[in-house]
Amino acid sequence: MKKIIWLLTAFLSSAAYAQDKPIRLSECIRLALKNKANILAVKTDVLVANLQELEAKNKYTAQLSLAYEYRYNPIIASQVIPVGQLSSTPSDELRAVQFGSKWQQTAGITLTQPLVDFSIKSKIGESRINEKVKQADMQLAEDDLKYEVLRSFGKLLVYTKQLESAVVDTARTYKSYELIKGKFDERRVLKTDVNKALLNHNNAVSSYKTAVSELIKEKIYLSFLINLPVNQLLDNPVDFSPLLSGNFSDTNENVRFDEVASIKQLGFKEALLKQQIKSEKYKYRPALSFIGYLGANQYAEKFDPVMPNSWFGNSYVGLSLKMPILGENTRYKVKQLETQVQGITHNRSETQNKLMKDYLQAGEDIRKFKEQINITTDNVILMTQNVIIFQERFTAGQYNASDLNLQELDLLKEKNSLLKQQADLILKQIEQLNFTGNLNEFLKKLS
């Protein structure tokens, strides 16, 4: 019995310890988002998508290139010239003439500035939408993590209530056991009655130890989520006020599919596919660019890179228009992308319908749990009063030990039922909050 008293004292001491440093839900979520590796990885993907957009935009900037070439021509290329057409009496005479020299240098700078290019414009659009897809991926990962932290808080509240109830049950069943044992020492009750009272007390102690173990395990899991030392979670109390404030019902009244990260993600993926379809179609659109060149050529019969009077300037400016006529057939690629769009459209519709179904089912479960809790709470109050009355009357010799043991057993069962209903209600409210797309709105009220 000393060990039991020590456990009760340890619980009460830990509950009163470090009240100035409670573990708060908003702080846990902040730590989780800051330190969780999968969130950091998704943030990296968003950064990469942003850089890809900048890369796509960069294709519209001017391109400046420098080229230099020095070559030896063992055989100088010949061109056939219709010299007969240049004489005073035109004829069909042709003559092969070699143009160039044995050694030749070319150096120049080329400037190209795209003016109109639908392919580049479409690729920029793709990169922007892809960045939104990655941001939706990040929101989905963050919302999943927030939900896990909130759900862990819900479980901690449940286990804390179970622990508090187990403390009361342990103290009460121990009192009943002491009363019956006292009567047994006076040889006024049977040994079986003492054994039954001890069994009830042992069950209460077992429930207490189970609640302690579950509470510790859940704090270990929360420590894993937020990367906070386990000892800090074990030594400090937890602030459950956000879960006890009654804001669940207010927040869960409206379903906002546009705020659900998974639906956002599907919407952006659909938009990306449609933009990719445009990109395929734009491959056969004309592209207009401004082009300018400034350079010089050297011709020499011997190797002499700096030979005087052998360099000849060369430059031009103008517009370059390119329009593909024949090439890659994009029809099947477009058809493939259009089919993928249809698949995502159906998937998004199915996701919305499932969320609505889950929301309505969760609402019905919540209504049922609330009704059950009201009834069970009244039962627990009445049965607790009965146990106190039975203890008093047993002491006065008006009831026998078996009646008191039976009342204790019934009360333990009813309290366990109440705790389970309360746990189911809290976790179901958190689930419904996640279904409605109001998770962030609920958490925003806490900050």
Side-chain angles (χ1 to χ4, degrees):
M1 296 306 168
K2 291 182 179 180
K3 183 177 181 181
I4 296 170
I5 295 173
W6 180 85
L7 288 172
L8 295 177
T9 304
F11 168 73
L12 295 174
S13 299
S14 63
Y17 177 74
Q19 292 294 330
D20 58 330
K21 294 182 180 180
I23 304 299
R24 301 187 185 280
L25 176 59
S26 56
E27 180 65 13
C28 287
I29 290 177
R30 187 189 67 81
L31 290 173
L33 296 177
K34 179 181 178 181
N35 300 317
K36 205 63 180 158
N38 65 323
I39 299 298
L40 298 177
V42 177
K43 286 183 178 179
T44 302
D45 293 339
V46 174
L47 179 60
V48 171
N50 179 259
L51 294 175
Q52 288 174 343
E53 180 183 352
L54 295 176
E55 179 187 9
K57 290 180 178 179
N58 191 53
K59 292 183 178 180
Y60 252 128
T61 61
Q63 300 175 13
L64 189 65
S65 59
L66 174 65
Y68 172 78
E69 184 180 75
Y70 198 170
R71 66 185 182 185
Y72 171 70
N73 300 311
I75 301 177
I76 300 174
S78 299
Q79 294 289 333
V80 177
I81 299 176
V83 293
Q85 298 295 322
L86 301 177
S87 64
S88 57
T89 304
S91 66
D92 295 331
E93 181 185 358
L94 301 175
R95 185 177 301 172
V97 179
Q98 289 183 321
F99 287 90
S101 58
K102 292 291 185 180
W103 296 91
Q104 181 178 343
Q105 290 187 82
T106 301
I109 298 177
T110 304
L111 174 68
T112 304
Q113 172 64 62
L115 299 177
V116 179
D117 194 321
F118 293 98
S119 294
I120 295 178
K121 183 178 179 181
S122 185
K123 287 296 182 182
I124 293 174
E126 280 186 39
S127 60
R128 287 174 178 170
I129 299 174
N130 184 57
E131 184 178 2
K132 293 180 179 179
V133 171
K134 297 303 180 182
Q135 289 174 345
D137 292 343
M138 183 173 70
Q139 182 186 342
L140 182 60
E142 288 181 346
D143 286 355
D144 288 344
L145 184 56
K146 292 175 184 177
Y147 171 70
E148 280 299 313
V149 173
L150 182 58
R151 196 165 184 271
S152 180
F153 254 70
K155 288 186 175 182
L156 285 177
L157 175 59
V158 169
Y159 296 143
T160 300
K161 285 188 173 182
Q162 289 178 350
L163 186 57
E164 293 171 352
S165 177
V167 170
V168 176
D169 291 340
T170 303
R172 189 190 62 253
T173 54
Y174 183 68
K175 179 180 178 181
S176 296
Y177 168 73
E178 286 291 310
L179 290 174
I180 295 175
K181 187 175 182 299
K183 294 290 186 180
F184 174 74
D185 293 339
E186 298 173 2
R187 300 183 182 277
R188 296 171 60 182
V189 298
L190 299 175
K191 177 63 175 175
T192 54
D193 294 326
V194 178
N195 291 344
K196 184 62 178 177
L198 185 57
L199 284 173
N200 287 338
H201 178 63
N202 288 341
N203 288 335
V205 173
S206 177
S207 297
Y208 169 80
K209 292 181 178 180
T210 299
V212 171
S213 177
E214 293 298 328
L215 185 63
I216 292 175
K217 287 196 300 182
E218 193 60 37
K219 286 193 174 184
I220 292 173
Y221 179 63
L222 182 61
S223 170
F224 161 74
L225 290 176
I226 65 178
N227 284 336
L228 202 66
V230 177
N231 291 339
Q232 190 169 342
L233 289 173
L234 294 176
D235 294 341
N236 293 291
V238 180
D239 179 15
F240 295 117
S241 58
L243 304 183
L244 301 174
S245 60
N247 291 333
F248 282 116
S249 57
D250 298 336
T251 311
N252 285 350
E253 289 180 354
N254 300 319
V255 180
R256 300 192 301 171
F257 288 139
D258 56 327
E259 294 299 325
V260 178
S262 58
I263 294 180
K264 276 186 178 181
Q265 184 187 53
L266 290 173
F268 289 135
K269 286 183 176 180
E270 180 180 355
L272 178 60
L273 289 172
K274 289 180 178 179
Q275 189 63 41
Q276 288 175 343
I277 292 174
K278 290 183 179 180
S279 296
E280 291 296 322
K281 293 180 178 179
Y282 285 162
K283 286 182 177 180
Y284 285 96
R285 292 286 185 90
L288 181 65
S289 301
F290 169 82
I291 188 169
Y293 176 79
L294 176 62
N297 299 323
Q298 185 210 37
Y299 301 95
E301 290 298 327
K302 61 181 180 176
F303 179 77
D304 188 355
V306 294
M307 179 184 293
N309 302 321
S310 62
W311 285 90
F312 302 90
N314 181 19
S315 69
Y316 61 85
V317 293
L319 297 176
S320 173
L321 179 66
K322 294 182 179 180
M323 185 172 180
I325 298 177
L326 294 176
E328 178 185 359
N329 191 338
T330 61
R331 181 179 61 179
Y332 298 109
K333 180 65 175 179
V334 170
K335 189 67 175 177
Q336 175 186 338
L337 293 171
E338 289 174 344
T339 304
Q340 291 179 11
V341 169
Q342 293 177 0
I344 288 183
T345 302
H346 296 321
N347 192 8
R348 184 171 57 179
S349 176
E350 180 67 16
T351 301
Q352 289 181 350
N353 292 336
K354 184 178 183 302
L355 283 173
M356 179 57 72
K357 181 263 297 180
D358 292 338
Y359 165 73
L360 295 175
Q361 287 182 336
E364 180 61 24
D365 287 336
I366 289 171
R367 185 194 63 79
K368 177 187 68 175
F369 292 146
K370 286 181 177 179
E371 291 179 353
Q372 291 176 343
I373 287 172
N374 290 334
I375 295 173
T376 308
T377 300
D378 292 339
N379 291 344
V380 168
I381 293 173
L382 294 173
M383 295 176 75
T384 301
Q385 294 173 351
N386 286 348
V387 168
I388 294 173
I389 294 172
F390 268 71
Q391 287 177 340
E392 294 173 350
R393 293 186 179 181
F394 173 75
T395 304
Q398 297 176 1
Y399 283 123
N400 56 42
S402 60
D403 293 331
L404 178 57
N405 285 330
L406 184 60
Q407 290 295 320
E408 283 281 9
L409 182 61
D410 290 341
L411 177 57
L412 287 173
K413 290 180 179 179
E414 197 69 13
K415 291 194 74 174
N416 288 334
S417 177
L418 176 61
L419 290 171
K420 184 179 183 305
Q421 292 165 6
Q422 291 173 335
D424 291 339
L425 174 62
I426 291 174
L427 296 179
K428 188 59 67 173
Q429 286 175 323
I430 294 174
E431 284 184 16
Q432 189 188 50
L433 188 68
N434 197 41
F435 295 147
T436 59
N438 293 312
L439 177 65
N440 290 310
E441 181 185 354
F442 173 79
L443 295 175
K444 190 181 297 182
K445 293 179 181 180
L446 307 180
S447 58

